[in-house]
Amino acid sequence: MIRISALAMVLCLALAPACAANAQATQDAAAAMRMQNVDLRAFIQDVARATGTTFIVDPRVQGSVDVHRQQAMDNQDLIGVLLAVLRANGLVAVPSGRATYRIVPDDSAAQQPGSLGGSGYGFATEVFNLQRLDARVAAETLKPLVGRGGVVMALPQGNRLLVADYADNIRRVRGLVERIDRDSGSIDTVTLRNTSAREMAGTLAGVFGIAGNDPGNVLSILPVDSSNSLVVRGEASLVRQVTQMAMDLDGRAERSGDVAVVKLQHASADQLLPVLQQLIGQAPDGATANGATQGPAVDAANAQVIAPAGGKRPTIVRYPGSNSLVIHADPDTQRTLLEVIRQLDERRQQVLVEAIVVEISDDAARKLGAQLVVAGRDGNVPIAATQFSTADVGILPLAGAALAGRRDGDGDGDDTIGDLAREAAARSLFGLSGSLFGIGGRSGDNLFGLVINAVQNDTASNLLSTPSILTLDNEEARILVGQEVPLTTGEALSNNFDNAFRTIQREDVGVQLTVRPQINAGGGITLRIKQEVSAVAGPVSSDYQELILNKREIETNVVVDDGAMVVLGGLLDQSDRNTLQKVPLLGDIPVIGGLFRSRSRTGNKTNLMVFLRPTIVGGAEDAQRETARRYGYIRDRQLRDGHAEAALDTLVREYLMTTPPTMPVPAAPAPATTTEAP
């Protein structure tokens, strides 16, 4: 607490009626006044009485003061001394009317409606319009320069700065703002002839330690691709160093020759070489290192886009030992080609295509029929029989075996014929499905028999297949899960069978997925898809053993959003067949006619649907996430068997000598930035 010498007694003498007649004596007394350890509230009352001013004192105002004054004071000087004492004690006088002031602590002065600022000890508010300096940066710079009750606030609208503080400090802040709110930097432009502007900008940024495009950088270097120039801005001395170094490096590039070796980071030299050759009018190479043709020949004169300078035709070749290109051209052509390579040599995104193939089929069959036979042993009675092709077991082979057996038993039969008849009967019984009821008998030398065959068959199948494949953007990929089935394509037999041969072609059978994704702007993916599901249906017939292949195929182009699921289409096949075989007239007789007819009903339904879900894998984190998800699925299925550790984990640790993939840890959210108003 600042102490001021006691002034109360002198003020009383100066205001007493005995001293009113002699003004000089009052001034002399005032010049020699000294007050010490005077209560602050009493001092405020004395000043109010001497100047005729009303002061409303806040209850928080406390303390004592010392005042030493060797010169005479008028009313204005006396109020100035009071304001200085109040400021030293963290107080301020705020106008509240004519010759009326409120004395409050200065930490709340910024919220008061007005303040006294004529002498510099009052509180004032001012708004500064900034021209070049950012208001937020200026606010952070000036905050340490204001008092306890002062306020510095950035107004982003209009790039303005609001400052509330004592009037004399406001004047100091105004001078600082005028000094720092000016552009003292220098701007220069460097035109390069032999080096790419972007390459030069990156080199100079690394030399001078420029990180990104931070506005706080004292030096900025911006490349201009259209004119292959650099725009340098900063302190004059730094600008001169940068421009001098840029011109020196550009001159050294001119003296280094016309040959440049470009090591590609992501793109394939085999794919990029024909494009660059067409730009300069060079005939593409006929074949690559492995003998594969690059593409169709083009007219070099019509395909040329970049015209060489000085009449020197440029040449581009690929180095087979690495993914590199060798360019021989003049500096201008080199710079253009290097810019094309820079834009094409970027890391390509990947697309994970997951498919679900669902095939649901239902086969139903019902058969009911009766077959009759009557035959004589010695041929005296003609044979009468009914047999239908829809029956699984024919009655005639059974009757033939019975007749052959009887003749063999009598000793007058042929064993060969009997064996053939019994073999035919056995084959017929082996083909039985469902139930077979029959009766037979003998009446003298005559045989008779009745066979009733009934069967009902229902077959339902549900096939689920989930092929998935990961491929680069705009690269075709194919996955096959199935078998190679041999199919006969040719056969030749000579007369004596000494030069027989057969040609066989193997056909892929199973689930095949061929896809070429193309990532579009906005997250959409164009997919060129060919989905095929095939299976072996069996031989054509019992006499012709060639195979029948069932094939269902979808080939289309679709556009799908990233991570969305789409159905490609459904293939529905339904067939119903009703067959009635009967003996004319006899089969139409009620009740008894059932012995002379056979009914068969078959039905087949097949429904195939393909669901597709593409996902863009942009970087290492996305790839790790997808790998960990599928790895975890396989590992969990192995752990269901009760093992302490999955066999897959053991293989990864012992054979690959690495840790199993895990889900990436999500990055912590950035802390929110809040600005508190005073």
Side-chain angles (χ1 to χ4, degrees), residues 59-123:
R60 292 173 291 178
V61 176
Q62 300 292 337
S64 59
V65 297
D66 294 338
V67 175
H68 297 272
R69 180 72 179 187
Q70 301 299 332
Q71 298 177 357
M73 293 182 295
D74 55 12
N75 291 345
Q76 185 176 359
D77 293 337
L78 191 56
I79 292 180
V81 171
L82 175 61
L83 294 178
V85 171
L86 294 177
R87 180 173 178 178
N89 286 272
L91 304 170
V92 66
V94 180
S96 299
R98 184 177 181 182
T100 303
Y101 300 93
R102 291 186 297 109
I103 299 178
V104 295
D106 60 3
D107 56 0
S108 61
Q111 286 80 33
Q112 302 303 323
S115 60
L116 182 62
S119 62
Y121 295 103
F123 218 81

Side-chain angles (χ1 to χ4, degrees), residues 389-524:
S389 61
T390 57
D392 294 329
V393 178
I395 194 171
L396 291 181
L398 300 179
L403 292 174
R406 291 194 58 193
R407 291 178 178 179
D408 293 343
D410 296 340
D412 55 356
D414 189 351
D415 292 339
T416 302
I417 297 177
D419 292 340
L420 294 176
R422 285 187 288 271
E423 182 180 355
R427 283 200 304 268
S428 179
L429 290 175
F430 289 156
L432 173 67
S433 61
S435 62
L436 180 68
F437 304 94
I439 59 175
R442 174 181 176 185
S443 176
D445 293 334
N446 301 322
L447 295 177
F448 64 89
L450 171 66
V451 173
I452 300 176
N453 184 209
V455 61
Q456 179 175 349
N457 182 23
D458 290 320
T459 303
S461 64
N462 189 355
L463 172 64
L464 290 177
S465 179
T466 57
S468 63
I469 191 168
L470 179 67
T471 181
L472 285 174
D473 178 27
N474 209 29
E475 286 287 343
E476 182 177 303
R478 177 175 177 267
I479 184 173
L480 167 64
V481 181
Q483 297 175 325
E484 287 189 347
V485 177
L487 300 177
T488 301
T489 58
E491 185 176 12
L493 299 174
S494 61
N495 295 330
N496 54 359
F497 298 97
D498 57 352
N499 192 23
F501 69 91
R502 175 182 295 178
T503 58
I504 295 177
Q505 178 181 352
R506 296 187 178 273
E507 184 78 15
D508 293 333
V509 176
V511 179
Q512 300 184 57
L513 173 63
T514 304
V515 60
R516 180 191 293 272
Q518 177 182 326
I519 301 176
N520 306 326

Side-chain angles (χ1 to χ4, degrees), residues 294-318:
Q294 283 287 341
V298 298
D299 186 356
N302 296 331
Q304 181 176 354
V305 177
I306 303 175
K312 182 187 297 184
R313 178 173 295 277
T315 304
I316 306 175
V317 296
R318 180 184 63 88

Side-chain angles (χ1 to χ4, degrees), residues 83 87 92-93 109 115-126 128 145-147 150 163-175:
L83 294 178
R87 180 173 178 178
V92 66
S115 60
L116 182 62
S119 62
Y121 295 103
F123 218 81
T125 304
E126 188 169 346
F128 298 93
L145 303 180
V146 299
V163 181
D165 203 357
Y166 289 99
D168 57 349
N169 203 27
I170 289 289
R171 290 192 292 270
R172 184 167 67 101
V173 170
R174 186 186 303 111

Side-chain angles (χ1 to χ4, degrees), residues 123-139:
F123 218 81
T125 304
E126 188 169 346
V127 177
F128 298 93
N129 293 320
L130 303 179
Q131 301 298 327
R132 297 176 179 85
L133 187 63
D134 184 76
R136 296 182 179 89
V137 177

Side-chain angles (χ1 to χ4, degrees), residues 197-420:
R198 288 189 175 272
E199 180 183 356
M200 182 67 72
T203 302
L204 296 176
V207 172
F208 289 91
I210 302 174
N213 296 322
D214 189 357
N217 289 336
V218 297
L219 180 67
S220 60
I221 305 174
L222 300 178
V224 182
D225 295 331
S226 59
S227 60
N228 196 46
S229 304
L230 296 178
V231 177
V232 186
R233 180 182 179 276
E235 295 293 336
S237 59
L238 286 176
V239 171
R240 286 193 297 270
Q241 294 181 28
V242 172
T243 54
Q244 183 63 34
M245 181 175 292
M247 290 186 294
D248 182 46
L249 292 176
D250 189 53
R252 292 174 181 270
E254 182 180 9
R255 295 188 295 270
S256 63
D258 297 337
V259 178
V261 178
V262 182
K263 295 183 178 180
L264 302 178
Q265 303 297 323
H266 307 286
S268 171
D270 291 335
Q271 297 178 353
L272 192 57
L273 179 61
V275 178
L276 299 178
Q277 288 176 337
Q278 291 183 29
L279 289 178
I280 62 176
Q282 177 184 347
D285 296 341
T288 59
N290 56 7
T293 302
Q294 283 287 341
V298 298
D299 186 356
N302 296 331
Q304 181 176 354
V305 177
I306 303 175
K312 182 187 297 184
R313 178 173 295 277
T315 304
I316 306 175
V317 296
R318 180 184 63 88
Y319 174 56
S322 65
N323 193 34
S324 302
L325 296 173
V326 181
I327 302 175
H328 181 268
D330 58 273
D332 291 338
T333 305
Q334 275 193 32
R335 184 173 60 252
T336 305
L337 292 175
L338 292 177
E339 180 62 22
V340 173
I341 293 174
R342 183 191 65 81
Q343 297 185 30
L344 296 179
D345 188 23
E346 295 181 349
R347 177 171 178 172
R348 297 161 64 183
Q349 292 182 311
Q350 301 180 95
V351 178
L352 175 64
V353 181
E354 301 169 284
I356 299 179
V357 181
V358 182
E359 182 178 355
I360 301 175
S361 63
D362 187 10
D363 297 334
R366 294 182 181 180
K367 298 179 182 179
L368 178 62
Q371 301 175 88
L372 299 173
V373 64
V374 175
R377 178 173 179 273
D378 296 330
N380 297 328
V381 179
I383 295 177
T386 60
Q387 180 170 297
F388 305 103
S389 61
T390 57
D392 294 329
V393 178
I395 194 171
L396 291 181
L398 300 179
L403 292 174
R406 291 194 58 193
R407 291 178 178 179
D408 293 343
D410 296 340
D412 55 356
D414 189 351
D415 292 339
T416 302
I417 297 177
D419 292 340
L420 294 176

